[in-house]
Amino acid sequence: MSMTEMSGSTLEVDKDWWRGAVIYQIYPRSYQDSNGDGIGDLKGITARLPHVASLGADAIWISPFFTSPMKDFGYDVSNYTDVDGIFGNLADFDKLIAEAHRLGIRVMIDLVLSHTSDQHPWFVESRGSRTNAKADWYVWADSKPDGTPPNNWLSIFGGSAWAWDPTRLQYYLHNFLTSQPDLNLHNPDVQEALLAVERFWLERGVDGFRLDTINFYFHDKQLRDNPALAPERRNASTAPTVNPYNYQEHLYDKNQPENLAFLKRFRAVMDEFPAIAAVGEVGDSQRGLEIAGEYTSGGDKMHMCYAFEFLAPEAPTPERVAEVLRDFHKAAPEGWACWAFSNHDVVRHVSRWGDGVADQDAYAKLLASLLLSLRGSVCIYQGEELALTEAELAYEDLKDPYGIQFWPDFKGRDGCRTPMVWDSAAVNGGFGDAKPWLPVAAEHLKRAVSVQKGNEASVMEHYRRFLQFRKAHPAFAKGEIEFRGTDGPVLAFVRSHGNEKLFCVFNMSGAAAAADLPKEPVEALEGHGFAAAIKDNKVNLPAWSAFFARLV
């Protein structure tokens, strides 16, 4: 059944909807609690979909809501085809899909296929013996003669990537927590099982997938050691500086060539359904863009890849923005990126980059406009539209095992996962009546939706306004990009699609700046929320501001 045939849907079948789409990420535990248990749920998301629609987002991406022991808060799945009771049930999900489609919003869900929970029936059976039907469904290996792990691979969450199992007298691979064993996708039966999961949700009406840790699906069959990585090549784009995971070049524990064939199989299933899209999360500090190019080439694998370049600690500069987009085009000339400045795994970007910025609202508006003007699709993380800062939590309030492991040098991910604030006057900011699973940050209340709604000077209204402006000019979503200048604090580029050419200039500094106008005649555009003055063939930009014009 096509989406146009679905009762109540306002969506049209458009196989290219994802190209340039604005996707709003929802972390379900923290969006809206509907039943008073302190944890957000699917009914809560459904009730708040009008907010997403009013912003003008094209789609939502919902972080995992599947059955899980919640050791990694849903990214440790114990049943891929059911909803965890804390979030609701399948009927609630069906209602969410129906309401989203009625509002013209597509729904993407977060599939975690590289690993499961150790409580998944597959793993329970696999660890029972070396001869059972699922004995080879996970990555098992004998120890070295001295009892140490098979090789030097490290877990992103700290320590060895291998855990000992006393029943099988073998090690199993876990790239993340010890309670998240890695599936063995070299086994055809595992691939078939995962493709069945994909089909289950497509038949339920989802419009696409965000695929978690997509480059971790396969490991080197020979289990070769990763080589050391020279200190000057290390960076913190996928793991914090304090994590020794950054000390290796990850040639063998992930990024294997066999993945390409599986991604083609995954795409083939999607192509059986109308207007489905997938974005793959590629986590690699050295070869991220190159891998994204491989995974999005040829039109037969991923539609787009979720890049980490702008999730890094370093604030973007004009030179860095141009460099990243040029590098992506070089690495992925056929590919399409999905950019984000924040998500559920990193410090919120207003705090990550804005420490010391006097006018944080102006900074947030400038960054939003830049993100929404780049070539590629866009992910907005819940609360970003409110310019929420990273919440400061006490150690005793932490829930994230990553933060508990590396505290205090790395405080984990809880600070970006605190509850959404809806109403500054309501208990817990309107998130719910019960004590929430993470505390509501007091400083967030003054930025609640109720405070910003209708205030044209607010960050939230700027997001809404700029998204309308973006939709009025198709070059933003579908067009090419040509950089015209990266001098000093000013970034300039042209977005072009068909007969439309848009000149875009951003002052990425807290002081006024001027930029040369292009040689072509320009017609200044309105509706984006910024003010600038043109004089002597220059555009004069206030601090943290932008200018947009049509080339005529």
Side-chain angles (χ1 to χ4, degrees):
M1 181 170 63
S2 73
M3 285 180 288
T4 52
E5 297 169 325
M6 294 169 61
S7 176
S9 175
T10 61
L11 292 169
E12 296 181 0
V13 174
D14 175 8
K15 287 186 176 295
D16 203 43
W17 69 264
W18 52 272
R19 193 180 297 274
V22 176
I23 304 165
Y24 184 94
Q25 182 195 353
I26 294 175
Y27 192 70
R29 295 181 71 90
S30 298
Y31 206 57
Q32 180 67 58
D33 173 17
S34 73
N35 63 356
D37 65 356
I39 298 172
D41 45 52
L42 296 181
K43 284 184 178 179
I45 294 173
T46 303
R48 294 297 188 180
L49 285 175
H51 170 73
V52 180
S54 74
L55 286 176
D58 301 296
I60 56 173
W61 144 30
I62 310 175
S63 292
F65 51 83
F66 317 108
T67 308
S68 165
M70 300 294 163
K71 299 288 181 61
D72 191 24
F73 301 104
Y75 285 88
D76 50 328
V77 179
S78 56
N79 185 345
Y80 282 112
T81 55
D82 203 357
V83 175
D84 193 282
I86 66 169
F87 297 128
N89 53 45
L90 284 169
D92 294 333
F93 182 76
D94 293 340
K95 291 175 183 176
L96 188 159
I97 287 268
E99 176 66 1
H101 287 172
R102 185 187 72 80
L103 292 169
I105 300 168
R106 300 179 196 269
V107 178
M108 306 179 80
I109 64 172
D110 202 333
L111 283 186
V112 188
L113 305 182
S114 70
H115 53 268
T116 70
S117 164
D118 60 358
Q119 297 181 30
H120 196 295
W122 298 346
F123 187 70
V124 172
E125 182 176 352
S126 185
R127 78 189 314 178
S129 72
R130 297 192 185 195
T131 57
N132 66 74
K134 291 186 172 59
D136 192 38
W137 276 46
Y138 292 81
V139 184
W140 294 97
D142 292 330
S143 70
K144 290 181 179 179
D146 62 359
T148 54
N151 59 30
N152 71 345
W153 297 352
L154 296 174
S155 164
I156 283 188
F157 286 172
S160 172
W162 297 95
W164 180 253
D165 183 80
T167 301
R168 286 185 52 146
L169 297 178
Q170 284 183 305
Y171 283 97
Y172 65 85
L173 179 67
H174 62 93
N175 277 297
F176 298 90
L177 295 175
T178 56
S179 57
Q180 293 171 296
D182 275 59
L183 284 161
N184 177 21
L185 271 80
H186 290 290
N187 185 329
D189 292 338
V190 173
Q191 293 192 29
E192 290 298 331
L194 295 178
L195 295 176
V197 169
E198 173 192 13
R199 189 178 296 277
F200 173 88
W201 291 105
L202 288 171
E203 291 175 346
R204 203 140 206 123
V206 304
D207 303 291
F209 304 101
R210 182 264 191 183
L211 297 174
D212 186 65
T213 59
I214 192 173
N215 55 316
F216 285 76
Y217 286 178
F218 286 82
H219 65 284
D220 174 46
K221 278 187 172 183
Q222 299 178 50
L223 304 181
R224 286 172 283 187
D225 280 347
N226 284 327
L229 186 67
E232 62 271 17
R233 296 183 59 205
R234 297 173 191 164
N235 65 68
S237 63
T238 57
T241 304
V242 297
N243 192 339
Y245 188 84
N246 292 322
Y247 292 23
Q248 290 186 356
E249 185 164 13
H250 295 274
L251 297 183
Y252 299 116
D253 51 349
K254 58 184 181 181
N255 307 334
Q256 298 305 292
E258 293 93 334
N259 204 20
L260 296 174
F262 176 71
L263 295 183
K264 289 180 181 179
R265 297 190 68 197
F266 194 95
R267 174 64 177 265
V269 174
M270 285 193 289
D271 287 347
E272 296 175 21
F273 296 78
I276 305 299
V279 53
E281 179 199 30
V282 174
D284 190 86
S285 296
Q286 280 69 51
R287 295 184 54 232
L289 293 180
E290 178 186 341
I291 295 164
E294 294 172 358
Y295 290 1
T296 57
S297 66
D300 59 355
K301 295 177 282 294
M302 291 295 96
H303 297 79
M304 48 189 167
C305 272
Y306 188 76
F308 276 69
E309 276 63 29
F310 294 131
L311 296 170
E314 298 78 23
T317 62
E319 296 87 346
R320 178 60 177 159
V321 172
E323 176 188 38
V324 168
L325 268 78
R326 285 168 177 154
D327 287 350
F328 182 84
H329 181 70
K330 181 179 178 181
E334 302 174 334
W336 193 259
C338 186
W339 305 112
F341 286 171
S342 285
N343 69 13
H344 62 293
D345 281 335
V346 299
V347 172
R348 287 185 176 276
H349 67 261
V350 171
S351 295
R352 195 168 79 246
W353 298 333
D355 186 31
V357 173
D359 189 344
Q360 294 231 326
D361 278 11
Y363 187 53
K365 292 175 186 178
L366 183 279
L367 290 173
S369 306
L370 173 62
L371 176 64
L372 291 164
S373 299
L374 298 176
R375 183 179 188 267
S377 301
V378 173
C379 281
I380 295 172
Y381 179 49
Q382 65 180 53
E384 174 182 334
E385 74 274 24
L386 307 178
L388 294 188
T389 53
E390 184 81 354
E392 288 290 333
L393 276 70
Y395 180 78
E396 53 268 25
D397 289 326
L398 293 188
K399 299 292 192 297
D400 181 19
Y402 204 0
I404 293 169
Q405 170 76 13
F406 287 104
W407 177 276
D409 299 293
F410 172 63
K411 296 181 179 180
R413 302 165 294 177
D414 290 323
C416 66
R417 297 177 175 183
T418 56
M420 182 73 172
V421 282
W422 299 100
D423 185 345
S424 62
V427 63
N428 299 317
F431 170 70
D433 294 336
K435 180 182 178 180
W437 75 288
L438 285 173
V440 174
E443 65 270 20
H444 287 179
L445 294 175
K446 64 184 179 183
R447 293 189 171 277
V449 172
S450 66
V451 175
Q452 300 197 38
K453 188 174 183 179
N455 178 0
E456 290 301 312
S458 72
V459 175
M460 187 181 83
E461 292 298 345
H462 179 81
Y463 268 82
R464 180 179 288 130
R465 180 170 53 244
F466 201 89
L467 279 165
Q468 291 175 347
F469 174 68
R470 188 176 190 273
K471 286 187 175 182
H473 299 283
F476 282 122
K478 311 291 186 184
E480 299 299 320
I481 190 167
E482 175 196 349
F483 287 94
R484 292 287 184 95
T486 58
D487 296 331
V490 175
L491 173 66
F493 54 75
V494 172
R495 300 297 312 279
S496 57
H497 180 69
N499 293 324
E500 184 179 49
K501 291 188 176 183
L502 304 178
F503 179 65
C504 312
V505 189
F506 302 87
N507 176 10
M508 300 175 68
S509 77
D516 292 328
L517 288 171
K519 295 178 181 178
E520 305 97 320
V522 300
E523 176 187 305
L525 297 174
E526 297 181 348
H528 46 73
F530 292 103
I534 297 176
K535 184 178 181 181
D536 298 329
N537 211 38
K538 288 183 179 291
V539 56
N540 296 303
L541 298 157
W544 308 121
S545 67
F547 171 78
F548 300 89
R550 181 183 289 111
L551 299 185
V552 294

